[in-house]
Amino acid sequence: MNSRTWGYCCLAAAMALVGSTVVASKIIGAGLPPFTATALRFAIALPCFGLLMALTGARLPRLDRHDWLLLAAQAIAGSVGYTALLIAGLQRASAVDGGIILGTLPLVSAAIAVLLLGERPGKATLAAIASAGFGVWLMLRPSSGANGASSLAGNVLVLGAVFCEGLFILLNKRLRVPVAPLALSTAMAAFGFAFSALASLAETPWTLALPAPALAATAYYALVPTVGGFLLWYAGAARVRGAEAALFTALAPVSAVALAAVLLGEPLAARQVAGMACVLGAVAILGAARPAPSRD
């Protein structure tokens, strides 16, 4: 197996793990409130990242006040906001809907760049955003039945989680001093633990029962998709071009939907299949519009 093929395998595995966070969040949400679960996630992941930094000799670069504030904002959005909103959303909505909405991340990031940063989109980007938007609209339509409003609210919360992750990505580009991936992940885990632990006080975690399935899912989320996914993603990204790596994010919703159907027994409705097709089609449009990589 050559280096590029190995990179593809690592990227595919990383995105499969990202998709599994939807199922894990569904299980966590059944037993733990969002901020308490988020604090537990980072309490488990942070020592692992610290150990990896010690073993590799990685260090945070010297940062000014501007960059420290940006790191704090990134943690609030991408670490705490994403995890807490995803868990809260999946307490109300199906994991299948959540997985499909998760797949809009590349398009949400592009839309944020257009709306908030004033970037000028090309025709392909606009078409991709429109396709993904239609797919999300299918997910956000109130379903019939007694829990239709709850499902709609849950899907909106999941979309909010994706929006937070999109902000995280764009804020990272505003750092004045580049931060290596491992150091950045460690900083996000540290800030994420601090902020979520503070927010969890409102949930009075010391009075909560801690069901074993939710605790196991939290430990899985912390160790496998968070730490393991980080290692797999950057190992793969180091072996392939950036445009190729970005296209593998399309595997995350496929993984989430498949795992939700297999592990949680959730059915696939026609609107969900159509929504996933629109989202994957949007990612394909965006990928096809990228400039062809130059030859080595």
Side-chain angles (χ1 to χ4, degrees):
M1 184 181 295
N2 61 37
S3 177
R4 177 164 292 186
T5 302
W6 176 245
Y8 291 158
C9 292
C10 288
L11 293 173
M15 285 299 101
L17 293 181
V18 169
S20 74
T21 63
V22 172
V23 174
S25 296
K26 185 74 173 178
I27 297 170
I28 292 167
L32 291 173
F35 290 113
T36 298
T38 303
L40 282 174
R41 173 200 173 193
F42 290 117
I44 296 169
L46 180 57
C48 298
F49 283 126
L51 178 61
L52 287 172
M53 286 193 69
L55 291 174
T56 60
R59 294 288 185 273
L60 272 172
R62 290 183 176 273
L63 302 175
D64 60 16
R65 184 171 179 269
H66 169 272
D67 279 3
W68 279 116
L69 289 174
L70 266 184
L71 287 180
Q74 280 185 270
I76 291 172
S79 297
V80 180
Y82 173 80
T83 306
L85 285 172
L86 183 62
I87 293 172
L90 292 171
Q91 287 176 330
R92 299 163 175 82
S94 76
V96 168
D97 279 5
I100 295 169
I101 295 172
L102 177 67
T104 64
L105 176 58
L107 291 308
V108 169
S109 299
I112 292 173
V114 171
L115 297 175
L116 299 186
L117 302 182
E119 294 186 4
R120 298 180 62 182
K123 293 180 180 179
T125 299
L126 290 175
I129 291 173
S131 177
F134 182 70
V136 172
W137 175 78
L138 291 174
M139 297 300 97
L140 298 183
R141 289 174 59 196
S143 57
S144 59
N147 65 343
S150 177
S151 179
L152 173 62
N155 286 336
V156 171
L157 287 170
V158 174
L159 186 60
V162 174
F163 182 82
C164 283
E165 189 68 9
L167 284 177
F168 171 88
I169 292 170
L170 292 175
L171 287 173
N172 187 58
K173 295 179 179 179
R174 296 298 179 266
L175 290 171
R176 292 172 177 170
V177 177
V179 181
L182 179 55
L184 180 61
S185 296
T186 305
M188 290 300 100
F191 276 127
F193 173 69
F195 292 136
S196 57
L198 183 62
S200 73
L201 296 178
E203 299 169 343
T204 60
W206 54 88
T207 67
L208 299 173
L210 300 176
L215 287 177
T218 303
Y220 168 83
Y221 195 151
L223 296 174
V224 183
T226 304
V227 179
F230 159 81
L231 294 173
L232 284 168
W233 179 260
Y234 287 109
R239 292 170 168 83
V240 304
R241 298 180 184 277
E244 292 175 307
L247 292 179
F248 276 84
T249 60
L251 294 178
V254 177
S255 168
V257 170
L259 290 172
V262 173
L263 298 181
L264 301 180
E266 293 191 359
L268 275 172
R271 68 178 180 85
Q272 293 167 322
V273 174
M276 184 165 64
C278 289
V279 169
L280 292 179
V283 175
I285 292 171
L286 199 62
R290 296 170 187 259
S294 59
R295 296 184 180 275
D296 295 328

